Amino acid sequence: MILSASRRTDVPAYYSDWFYNRIKEGFLYVRNPMNRHQISEIGLSPEVVDCIVFWTKNPAPMLSGLDRLRDYSYYFQFTLTGYGTDVEINVPSKKEVVIPAFRTLSERIGAEKVIWRYDPILFTDQYTPAYHVKAFTQIAGALRGYTRKCVISFVDKYTKNRKNMDALKVYDMEEIQLTVFAGQLCDIARQNGMEMASCAEQLDLASYGIRHSSCIDKKLVESIIGCQINAGKDKNQRAECGCAESIDIGVYDSCQHGCVYCYANHGLDVVTGNCRNHDPASPLLCGKIEEKDKITVRQMKSVKEGQLRLFDL
C-alpha cells in the first residue's frame, strides 16, 4: 500500500513524534471522517507499506528522526510559497526556517524525493501576478539543485475557505492570462533546473510544457522502489486528480498552520480543541477510543508487482 501522511494535516510539522511512535509500534488507528465511530487499524510493516508520501510546509521537526525510516521508501510533497502570515498564519519564516529545512531534507534523501509545491496560487491586490513572479524567482533560486520538480495549482474555493477568500478579496483571472502567467513561472523553473507540472487543474498548460501531475505519483513511486506497482486511480479524489490510490492517516481540523486557503480546517478554534486531545503515544492522531467506536483491522497488502524493466524507466 501507499501511505499518505497527509492531505488532511501536516504530520511532519506537528505530529512527527506521534508518527515515529506509530512506526515503532507497527500500527495506527484512523477514524473514518464520514463516520467518526468507524476506526480502521492500519498495519505499518515495511512489508506492506510500499511507499510513504509526506505532505508538509515545514519538515524541520521530523528531520532528526529520519533514520527511523531506514526500512521504508518515501518522498515529500513540500509546499513553499511567497505568502506572508496574513495568508499562512503560523508557517515559520521562509528564509530562516523553511528554505534551510528544504535544503537539509534534500541533502539527506535526494533532490528527486523532495517535490516543491508553489500552490495554491491566489491573486489579490497584494499578491498580484507580478508579486508571484518575483517571489517564485527568489524561491526557485534558493532551491536550485535541491529539487527537480515544481508543481503549481490555482486556488479553489470551498465551503470551508470561501469566507476567508472573500475577506482577502481574491480575484479570478481570465484563462489566457493564467496560461501566460504559468508560462512565466515555467521559464523560471527551467532556468533553475526544474521541471514544472500542474496539480488537479482543468486548465491545459501543455503549450507551455507544463504537464498534469499527480501528488501520489505512480511512476515516481515505481522509480523510488525500483518495482512496478498495481495501483489504480484514487476514486476518493476529484475527477481532475490523477493520484494513485493510497491510505490517508491524517485528521481534518488538526493542522495548526492556519492557512486561509485551507480546505481541511473549519478554523483555528476547532483545530485548537483537537490538538488538546493529541497524545503522541496514542494509536489515534487526535482523541481517545470512545464507547461506541468500532475498530476494524484492515487487511493491508503490498501493491508491488515486479522489477522495473529498462523501457519502463
Side-chain angles (χ1 to χ4, degrees), residues 7-270:
R7 282 185 173 91
R8 302 168 184 168
T9 192
D10 195 326
V11 171
Y14 295 111
Y15 304 108
S16 57
D17 287 343
W18 172 82
F19 185 79
Y20 285 137
N21 285 339
R22 300 328 308 155
I23 288 291
K24 181 179 179 181
E25 295 294 326
F27 75 99
L28 54 79
Y29 291 161
V30 180
R31 285 192 184 276
N32 183 338
M34 306 305 293
N35 185 339
R36 63 170 282 98
H37 290 299
Q38 289 183 353
I39 296 177
S40 295
E41 178 180 315
I42 308 297
L44 299 177
S45 164
E47 283 70 39
V48 297
V49 178
D50 300 303
C51 191
I52 306 170
V53 181
F54 293 105
W55 314 62
T56 190
K57 287 185 172 74
N58 176 25
M62 196 171 196
L63 296 179
S64 63
L66 286 178
D67 288 344
R68 303 183 202 181
L69 300 178
R70 65 177 67 89
D71 295 329
Y72 295 85
S73 297
Y74 58 92
Y75 66 94
F76 279 73
Q77 293 280 343
F78 195 133
T79 297
L80 175 50
T81 70
Y83 300 120
T85 54
D86 57 330
V87 175
E88 296 177 341
I89 296 173
N90 292 323
V91 176
S93 168
K94 311 294 175 64
K95 182 178 180 180
E96 297 178 7
V97 177
V98 182
I99 289 176
F102 193 111
R103 291 172 168 174
T104 300
L105 178 63
S106 176
E107 290 170 348
R108 292 281 301 276
I109 70 173
E112 73 282 359
K113 297 180 183 178
V114 189
I115 312 301
W116 172 31
R117 302 181 65 92
Y118 189 89
D119 81 316
I121 299 170
L122 57 83
F123 301 106
T124 69
D125 289 343
Q126 178 179 352
Y127 298 109
T128 62
Y131 176 96
H132 281 294
V133 168
K134 182 177 180 180
F136 188 89
T137 300
Q138 293 176 342
I139 298 171
L143 300 184
R144 182 180 178 87
Y146 293 95
T147 185
R148 297 178 182 173
K149 183 177 180 180
C150 176
V151 176
I152 62 170
S153 73
F154 299 103
V155 73
D156 290 310
K157 292 183 180 180
Y158 300 92
T159 302
K160 290 183 179 180
N161 70 8
R162 186 172 296 276
K163 183 177 180 181
N164 291 334
M165 296 294 96
D166 291 342
L168 281 174
K169 298 182 179 179
V170 173
Y171 64 83
D172 298 323
M173 293 208 310
E174 297 294 329
E175 184 172 311
I176 185 62
Q177 295 174 306
L178 286 177
T179 56
V180 171
F181 167 77
Q184 288 181 281
L185 299 191
C186 186
D187 287 342
I188 298 165
R190 286 174 176 165
Q191 290 165 16
N192 287 279
M194 304 169 194
E195 170 196 2
M196 176 163 279
S198 65
C199 174
E201 282 294 327
Q202 293 182 338
L203 191 64
D204 186 1
L205 301 171
S207 60
Y208 288 93
I210 302 173
R211 64 179 182 85
H212 294 297
S213 186
S214 306
C215 306
I216 310 292
D217 189 329
K218 183 176 183 290
K219 288 186 177 181
L220 178 57
V221 171
E222 290 177 334
S223 174
I224 290 173
I225 68 176
C227 181
Q228 291 179 313
I229 61 173
N230 180 18
K233 183 183 184 303
D234 192 334
K235 298 176 182 178
N236 295 316
Q237 305 303 320
R238 49 189 166 158
E240 297 82 10
C241 178
C243 285
E245 53 194 345
S246 63
I247 302 295
D248 198 293
I249 64 169
V251 175
Y252 290 116
D253 293 308
S254 64
C255 182
Q256 301 171 56
H257 287 314
C259 302
V260 299
Y261 50 72
C262 184
Y263 63 85
N265 290 342
H266 282 94
L268 282 176
D269 53 339
V270 182

